[in-house]
Amino acid sequence: MSSITHPFMGKVFVGNPTAIGTLREKYERVMMPNEVIEMEFKGLRDGMLFTDKRIVVINAQGITGRKVEVSTFPWKAIAAYSVENAGSIDFDAELKICGSGWGVCEVQLGRSADVGIVCQFINEKILA
């Protein structure tokens, strides 16, 4: 994979799976009408959504976290991905998503995130 990262964001700790709607106040303004959230992850301040149309990465910035960067990646623009599961010493798993025209987006998932389920979900979206 390319070492080029997405120009709008660095590596983000998006955390563990959580109940859908946990980060609603951070993403509700960027959602499309009738867009369905299918999976949600929440870290300490950051998060990620898998919807029926795209991946949304939420990156809280600054000391207070009130400044929020939201990056979206349509499923049709994702060309490839890789995952690295959490080892016995590592506390997180890494997901790298390679897209057409924007390079690689890197996020860190919490230890309780099942990378097998994440892979199956992405496969259904990009290979179907």
Side-chain angles (χ1 to χ4, degrees):
M1 281 212 158
S2 169
S3 62
I4 300 170
T5 58
H6 186 277
F8 301 114
M9 62 181 283
K11 191 181 292 186
V12 178
F13 178 71
V14 296
N16 293 304
T18 188
I20 292 174
T22 303
L23 297 169
R24 183 176 312 280
E25 74 282 351
K26 292 185 179 180
Y27 63 72
E28 64 187 349
R29 293 183 299 164
V30 300
M31 298 302 292
M32 297 171 50
N34 302 320
E35 186 172 12
V36 178
I37 299 168
E38 298 178 343
M39 197 178 295
E40 186 170 330
F41 296 83
K42 182 183 183 316
L44 296 173
R45 298 176 356 150
D46 303 329
M48 179 173 62
L49 309 170
F50 289 168
T51 78
D52 58 334
K53 301 183 184 320
R54 59 191 166 150
I55 295 175
V56 179
V57 178
I58 302 157
N59 182 6
Q61 301 175 350
I63 295 172
T64 64
R66 291 181 53 91
K67 180 179 179 182
V68 177
E69 174 186 27
V70 178
S71 301
T72 70
F73 308 96
W75 291 114
K76 65 183 177 183
I78 296 173
Y81 73 94
S82 71
V83 292
E84 179 180 305
N85 67 327
S88 57
I89 298 175
D90 294 331
F91 294 111
D92 53 21
E94 290 188 12
L95 170 63
K96 296 177 184 174
I97 305 162
C98 180
S100 170
W102 47 264
V104 178
C105 166
E106 295 182 36
V107 296
Q108 295 177 316
L109 303 169
R111 180 177 281 283
S112 69
D114 186 335
V115 295
I117 291 173
V118 171
C119 290
Q120 289 173 0
F121 186 88
I122 294 172
N123 287 342
E124 289 176 9
K125 296 297 183 184
I126 67 174
L127 298 175

